[in-house]
Amino acid sequence: MAAARLYVWSRNRVKEKGLALRITVNGQVREVEGVGSPSALGAVLEAMGLRADRIAVELNGEIAPRTRWAEVPVQEGDRLEVVHFVGGGLGKEL
């Protein structure tokens, strides 16, 4: 049995022509271009243009620790929930 190819995360990754991964992100079906199935979660997030330092990710109902994004596989049909951190506040003491 042949091992599955896992597309790895790299800041200098070159998009492969015609490669796309169909997943559900925050309840909406999306095709993420430049990654195939399976791909490392980090590669998928990079292809979506998301900044790793400002998000938390749940994959198929389970929190995906940032320290494992380079090895956690995302496959066709998976569900991601992405939460963006937003700074700010009232600007004065209460």
Side-chain angles (χ1 to χ4, degrees), residues 43-93:
V44 174
L45 297 173
E46 179 184 30
M48 292 171 58
L50 298 174
R51 292 185 54 175
D53 63 336
R54 299 190 183 196
I55 59 173
V57 180
E58 182 181 277
L59 174 62
N60 297 324
E62 296 199 18
I63 299 294
R66 184 174 286 120
T67 57
R68 297 199 53 235
W69 286 1
E71 60 196 56
V72 172
V74 178
Q75 300 182 52
E76 192 84 14
D78 279 352
R79 299 182 66 82
L80 290 180
E81 292 294 326
V82 180
V83 177
H84 294 263
F85 297 110
V86 178
L90 296 174
K92 61 181 180 177
E93 288 187 38

Side-chain angles (χ1 to χ4, degrees), residues 31-47:
E31 280 200 14
V32 182
E33 294 183 11
V35 291
S37 182
S39 286
L41 177 57
V44 174
L45 297 173
E46 179 184 30

